[in-house]
Amino acid sequence: MYGPIITQKTKNIIEKERKYLSYTTRVPYYPLVVDYAKGCIIKDIEGNEFIDFLSSAAVINTGHNHPRIVNAIKKQIDKFIHYTPAYMYHKPHTDLAEKLTEITPGNFDKRVAFGLSGSSSVDGAIKAARCFTKRPKIVSFLRSYHGTTMGAISVSGYNIGMKKNLGPMMPDVHFIPYPDSYRGQYNNEDLISGYIGSFKELLTTILPPEEIAAVIYEPIQGDAGVIVPPIEYCKELNRICKEHGILLIADEIQTGFGRTGRMFASEHFDIEPDILVFGKAVASGMPLSGIVAKKEIFESWNAPAHFFNTAGNPISCVSAIETIDIIKEEGLMENAVQRGKYIQDRFRALMDKFDCIGDVRGKGLLIGVDIVKDPITKERDINKTAKICWRCWEKGLILAFFSGSVLRVAPPLTLNQGEAERAMDIIEESIYETEQGMVSDEVLKEIKGW
Ligand SMILES: Cc1ncc(COP(=O)(O)O)c(C=O)c1O
């Protein structure tokens, strides 16, 4: 067999997983059972090594098992593992909350509420917005992904499969299109006026603005395929919200903690959201999420109605404090900008060689590469995308895709130049070999992607 050695050891675990785990908890990629991870490198239980261009879905921004994170966790474990902050105080919990109010956009008083997963904090943000404004409606975006709890899935516009047979969803959620300069319905000159115009039309026809609690959006749409909105669109959206007393909720779960070259992606667009939701990378892999909101928003919600027994766990909190310090002190945002530029430049150069690369976009180390059947029609090439990722795995690179046809480049922010070059060589070879028909259709039974 071409590629990594896979023995019965791996097959047994995968069979067991299929026997005992719910299918709904997994997005199928390749037969890789993780055994060890350090920096940007993962080893499977067979001893095969891979460069990680996924970083556990943009969770491991500081690199796998950063020694400072490991130390902080070990020290905390020796003290105590958990006591619920819903009943008692602990220092890591309060220290982290203070730090988060300092590093999030906006020079105003803020309050923090922790959760366990991004989804749980999206639900909390919706509750906070409704409670503060006393309005029911939420506006969200088509193709957005906000999570899988009932509130988060209700405001997600990602795909039909996610919502099928789960209804009724949370009522009073309304979807508008996200400004997409590559696949959207407006050309570049009309992009801002077109998308803003369609939102304004809703506000004068079917959606009374005084009934809208919040607009929830991703500052860069992640799972939709890394869609970067024009800065003027974001400013105008923000202005319209302010005009009507509608809160702006920025879902920074994927874009936060240095991923795009800034601590939060809202900074690229000069936006200070009323409510910011974070998760994923905050604690370098320990479970933690949360909401940072303007003080008055949380103060209007004066009842214990958003707490979870193991949220704000002290091990997760010390890991998060260390994560924030590492991102700043070790120059990870600057590294994301430099490595991201190198990767985007390499992909752009490949566009001359391969017609299947339709578009390259992103910021920092959140990059999407659209794989198409034809650069003029922009028809998605879902099978080719899956085969390229499979070939990359065979050659020692973890590369995933989203929205069916967009290669997802999201390595740890510690990626060094040698790793970036090696990974791009693998991608170039994999695209070439896929184009040459060297990857069998059989692999499509295994790799389904997101
Ligand atoms: C933008 C965004 N929002 C929300 C979520 C949900 O986070 P979680 O899976 O931690 O619930 C994700 C996760 O992928 C995400 O990317």
Side-chain angles (χ1 to χ4, degrees):
M1 183 196 148
Y2 181 87
I5 298 158
I6 299 297
T7 68
Q8 201 54 42
K9 240 187 344 181
T10 293
K11 289 179 189 156
N12 287 346
I13 291 175
I14 292 173
E15 268 165 34
K16 199 166 166 182
E17 166 110 6
R18 286 186 181 153
K19 186 166 171 200
Y20 291 110
L21 270 290
S22 158
Y23 181 79
T24 193
T25 60
R26 136 175 311 277
V27 182
Y29 275 100
Y30 8 70
L32 192 161
V33 181
V34 180
D35 188 44
Y36 175 89
K38 186 93 188 149
C40 296
I41 303 296
I42 290 181
K43 279 191 201 167
D44 70 9
I45 55 166
E46 310 282 1
N48 301 304
E49 262 191 44
F50 305 87
I51 299 175
D52 185 8
F53 255 28
L54 178 61
S55 55
S56 188
V59 167
I60 310 293
N61 288 7
T62 55
H64 293 280
N65 279 38
H66 192 294
R68 286 175 61 178
I69 301 283
V70 173
N71 261 339
I73 290 174
K74 282 183 176 166
K75 264 169 75 183
Q76 181 57 42
I77 286 177
D78 283 341
K79 287 173 143 185
F80 72 104
I81 290 176
H82 189 56
Y83 205 101
T84 177
Y87 291 95
M88 302 292 160
Y89 301 94
H90 65 73
K91 191 168 166 5
H93 189 245
T94 50
D95 284 352
L96 175 61
E98 180 185 32
K99 227 177 180 55
L100 286 162
T101 62
E102 287 163 4
I103 63 163
T104 44
N107 191 17
F108 38 74
D109 279 344
K110 299 166 191 159
R111 294 287 182 270
V112 179
F114 290 111
L116 286 160
S117 63
S119 308
S120 68
S121 290
V122 167
D123 280 25
I126 296 167
K127 289 191 290 183
R130 281 181 160 181
C131 191
F132 176 69
T133 59
K134 307 203 172 37
R135 300 172 178 185
K137 297 188 196 308
I138 303 289
V139 171
S140 182
F141 285 87
L142 291 169
R143 305 195 67 82
S144 60
Y145 180 68
H146 296 292
T148 55
T149 51
M150 208 61 204
I153 205 168
S154 296
V155 296
S156 291
Y158 188 64
N159 65 25
I160 288 286
M162 271 186 81
K163 293 197 166 179
K164 225 179 193 165
N165 300 327
L166 295 185
M169 292 280 138
M170 192 181 88
D172 255 341
V173 179
H174 303 265
F175 290 92
I176 58 176
Y178 197 86
D180 179 348
S181 60
Y182 182 62
R183 289 184 187 282
Q185 70 244 58
Y186 300 104
N187 58 28
N188 270 342
E189 303 88 73
D190 301 330
L191 195 69
I192 297 160
S193 59
Y195 284 105
I196 285 292
S198 65
F199 179 43
K200 279 184 174 166
E201 197 179 351
L202 280 188
L203 301 184
T204 52
T205 51
I206 54 169
L207 273 188
E210 64 279 8
E211 291 178 21
I212 303 174
V215 170
I216 180 164
Y217 85 122
E218 296 163 84
I220 293 173
Q221 259 193 346
D223 288 19
V226 190
I227 314 297
V228 184
I231 183 166
E232 290 311 323
Y233 173 88
C234 300
K235 286 185 170 174
E236 190 53 15
L237 179 72
N238 190 31
R239 194 197 59 71
I240 295 171
C241 286
K242 294 271 167 310
E243 182 185 331
H244 295 290
I246 300 168
L247 301 181
L248 194 60
I249 304 174
D251 175 346
E252 292 256 16
I253 292 166
Q254 184 160 163
T255 47
F257 298 95
R259 168 68 42 202
T260 67
R262 298 283 185 90
M263 192 57 92
F264 294 97
S266 295
E267 296 166 39
H268 292 289
F269 306 95
D270 285 338
I271 299 290
E272 296 176 350
D274 301 292
I275 302 178
L276 183 149
V277 190
F278 62 88
K280 281 190 187 269
V282 57
S284 291
M286 295 300 294
L288 188 70
S289 70
I291 307 161
V292 181
K294 285 184 172 156
K295 176 184 160 194
E296 58 272 24
I297 295 173
F298 268 139
E299 289 200 338
S300 73
W301 189 13
N302 198 11
H306 188 71
F307 58 96
F308 309 94
N309 204 307
T310 49
N313 168 282
I315 302 169
S316 296
C317 290
V318 295
S319 183
I321 291 168
E322 208 59 34
T323 298
I324 294 165
D325 289 348
I326 291 169
I327 291 169
K328 286 188 192 161
E329 290 164 19
E330 298 190 3
L332 298 194
M333 291 181 267
E334 295 79 6
N335 196 56
V337 172
Q338 280 170 24
R339 299 282 107 79
K341 182 177 178 323
Y342 168 78
I343 291 169
Q344 286 212 39
D345 287 349
R346 278 277 308 255
F347 271 115
R348 290 225 166 80
L350 290 181
M351 288 174 97
D352 293 335
K353 211 167 155 188
F354 302 116
D355 278 351
C356 67
I357 302 180
D359 194 30
V360 180
R361 52 191 181 244
K363 281 197 186 290
L365 282 171
L366 184 61
I367 298 168
V369 178
D370 226 299
I371 301 297
V372 294
K373 290 189 176 162
D374 175 330
I376 308 294
T377 65
K378 302 178 184 173
E379 189 187 342
R380 294 178 188 275
D381 199 333
I382 293 171
N383 288 351
K384 191 173 282 178
T385 312
K387 284 183 178 183
I388 293 168
C389 290
W390 184 273
R391 196 56 150 192
C392 283
W393 166 72
E394 289 181 322
K395 288 172 175 284
L397 173 72
I398 307 296
L399 182 67
F401 56 103
F402 36 34
S403 269
S405 65
V406 182
L407 301 177
R408 172 180 202 170
V409 176
L413 310 184
T414 53
L415 186 78
N416 66 35
Q417 185 58 18
E419 290 162 337
E421 285 172 18
R422 175 78 195 114
M424 286 311 300
D425 291 347
I426 291 177
I427 290 172
E428 184 169 349
E429 289 164 24
S430 298
I431 298 176
Y432 175 76
E433 289 168 16
T434 304
E435 292 278 47
Q436 295 301 307
M438 290 163 73
V439 184
S440 143
D441 285 346
E442 280 297 295
V443 310
L444 301 173
K445 289 186 191 151
E446 296 286 328
I447 181 163
K448 305 278 181 223
W450 175 227

